[in-house]
Structure formats: C-alpha cells, structure tokens
Amino acid sequence: MPQFYGLVFIVFLGIILLFNMIRVLKEYERGVIFRLGRLIGAKGPGLIILIPIIDKMIRVDLRVITYDIPPQDVITKDNVSVKVNAVLYFQVLDPNRAIVSVANFFEATSQIAQTTLRSVLGQAEYDDLLANREKINVQLQKIIDEQTEPWGVKVSVVEVKNVELPPELVRAMNKQAEAERERRAKVIHAEGEFQAAQKLSEAATVISAAPGAMQLRYLQTLTEVAAEKNSTLIFPVPIDILESIKGALNKVAGK
C-alpha cells in the first residue's frame, strides 16, 4: 500500500513537472526565456520546452496594438486652448529588447505618445492644426518612433482624431464666419453694380452714336409692356415729333 501511494505521488509530481515544462505559443506570440536570470532569447511559435524552476518565460504579442490616446489639454502657439485626442498604432519588432530595455513597453509607449502630442501641438497654430493635420500626424509618428525604437517597438501610424474647442471660442468663430460671409456678399453685390454700370455706360455710348437707336429701344420696350395681359393702351409717339411740337410751342410763346 505505501508503494502504491508513492507511485501515485511520483506520477502526480511528473504531471506537474510536465505541465510546467511545456508551453505552446501561437503564431503571433514569442516567448522571451530567462535561465537563472540570464536572457536566453525569444522562441516560438509552437511547442516550447522549459526547464522547471530554472527557466522563466514571458509572452510577447507581436500583433499591431491600437492605443487610443486620452484627450489632452493643449494650448497652441497662438494661445488657443483645445482638447485633442489621437490614436496610435504600434507593434513589437524585437521581443528581447521590449522586455529587457523597459519595465513595461506598453505603458512607456503610451506616456511618450501623450507627452509628444502635447509638445508638438503646443508648437503649432490652431489654423495649422485644422488645415495641415496630415503634416502634424507625420511629425508625431516620427518623434514617437525615434523614442520607442531602442525598446524594439515600431510606431507605424499616429492620427489626430478630434479637436474640441471651448464653447465661447466656438461662438466667436461662428460670428467671425458669419461676418466674413456678409462681407463677401456685399463685395459681390458691389461688383455686380459696378459691372452693370459699365455695361450701361457702354450702351449709352452706342446709342448716342446712332440717334435712331434710342427710338428703336423705346419701341421695343413698349412692345414688351403691351405683351402683358392688361387694359392699358399704349400709343408710341416718336421723340422727333415731341421735339417738333416743343419747338413750335416755343415759337408761339416767343411771338
């Protein structure tokens, strides 16, 4: 009976040791192995055999990680207070450095991203933040990637997602935009009046060169008025006749 219990204990101990020895890593995982505290290297994917008690393994995910940078309060170069958030895409390229060089590569990358976001946007003007966002994204990606490269972390994309303005500044910008639209409308109206005056001046010059042209224009206007459905009768009278009548009346008055 004691031998049976001893055998059961040995089998149980063997199962525990076997369980601690075998590790299975997925295709996107690597295992950074330490043997008595010394770095052995990254292994995987597939079946990994560890020496119990002596070896220790840390799993590292090599997939692209999406990190949503929390909203940051930023004062731009032209003293505009905004709240900006962004999204960061990065992945581990060197598992050994990601574990050995920094205590927590994810936390370190997130802190670097937040600090860099505030620093870069603080050197840009508000109009540039809206109009040249692509340029700012490239600058953010370059700076963050340079700082995370010693950790074996590659930052591929940084995108500014949303820019929030204080309500009072939004109202001021709306008033400015409305005033700008009114200014443009007045300028367009004035340009139209100026062009119309130019055309009328040119028409007057043409008509003055041909005395009969005014009479024809007068008759055309009467034709357009008579085309309407109304009870008014219009009798066109040539201007020359009126001038003759006026001259005759002046002579009578002179006598």
Side-chain angles (χ1 to χ4, degrees), residues 17 71 97 105 122 129 139 179-181 189 201 204 212 222 228 234:
L17 292 176
R97 286 191 293 171
F105 68 88
L129 181 58
Q139 185 179 2
E180 179 65 19
R181 289 193 296 268
H189 180 71
S201 176
L222 295 178
E228 299 293 334
I234 300 175

Side-chain angles (χ1 to χ4, degrees), residues 70-105:
Q72 304 294 311
D73 292 323
V74 179
I75 298 179
T76 61
K77 188 176 181 180
D78 49 351
N79 296 324
V80 178
S81 179
V82 296
K83 182 173 290 187
V84 183
N85 65 336
V87 61
L88 177 73
Y89 296 88
F90 67 96
Q91 68 179 135
V92 177
L93 297 182
D94 190 339
N96 294 330
R97 286 191 293 171
I99 298 300
V100 175
S101 300
V102 62
N104 187 329
F105 68 88

Side-chain angles (χ1 to χ4, degrees), residues 12-24 48-57:
F12 180 74
L13 183 61
I15 293 174
I16 294 177
L17 292 176
L18 184 64
F19 179 78
N20 291 329
M21 289 175 59
I22 297 176
R23 295 288 188 276
V24 177
I48 305 297
I49 304 298
L50 303 176
I51 301 176
I53 302 175
I54 297 178
D55 290 346
K56 181 181 179 181
M57 186 187 74

